[in-house]
Amino acid sequence: MTKTILLSLAILAGLSLPQAAQAQNMSAADRQKLLQNVVEADRNDDGVLSASEFEKLINLNAADKLGRAERVKKSGRYGMVFNRLDANGDGFLTKEEMQQMAEGRG
C-alpha cells in the first residue's frame, strides 16, 4: 500500500478528521500513529478496509485517543459509521470514498 492510500485511510477511517484541513492540524506523531494503525488494521494489505478491518482501526485509534474514534467505540456504532462512509455499498472503504470524506463531501 502506498503512503498516500494509507494516509487517506488513516484520515477517514480514524474518524478523527471529518475534513482534510483538520489533518493538517494533527501533530506529526499523531499522523504517524494513524498510519501505523491503518497498516495494522488492513490485515490483507489490499489498500481498502472491510467492516472488520474498520472496526479494528477504530479500536486502535480509540486506544491511542486519536480523534473521535473513542466516541464511535463507546457508542458501538461501527457499522453505522462504516455504512455512511461506504458510498457505493460494496462493503469496503476505498481510497476514493475516504478522499471524499476527508474533503468533507462524505
Side-chain angles (χ1 to χ4, degrees):
M1 221 177 335
T2 68
K3 282 199 169 196
T4 303
I5 293 171
L6 287 174
L7 186 56
S8 295
L9 285 166
I11 289 171
L12 296 164
L15 295 178
S16 57
L17 309 169
Q19 295 183 4
Q22 289 181 334
Q24 296 170 358
N25 295 331
M26 289 185 74
S27 72
D30 283 350
R31 275 183 286 204
Q32 182 61 36
K33 190 59 187 164
L34 277 170
L35 265 165
Q36 290 171 352
N37 289 349
V38 170
V39 170
E40 187 174 338
D42 185 16
R43 294 179 186 119
N44 61 357
D45 197 32
D46 63 355
V48 298
L49 293 180
S50 66
S52 64
E53 290 171 330
F54 177 78
E55 184 172 337
K56 172 129 177 108
L57 179 59
I58 292 298
N59 290 336
L60 290 168
N61 288 345
D64 291 330
K65 300 196 182 307
L66 296 173
R68 299 178 182 166
E70 194 169 7
R71 186 182 315 165
V72 174
K73 182 178 179 179
K74 282 183 181 180
S75 69
R77 295 185 178 188
Y78 302 96
M80 182 191 79
V81 175
F82 181 87
N83 290 334
R84 184 172 178 195
L85 297 175
D86 182 17
N88 65 2
D90 68 353
F92 297 96
L93 295 182
T94 64
K95 176 184 173 186
E96 292 77 20
E97 288 167 329
M98 290 179 247
Q99 285 175 332
Q100 288 177 6
M101 179 63 179
E103 294 168 3
R105 295 183 284 144

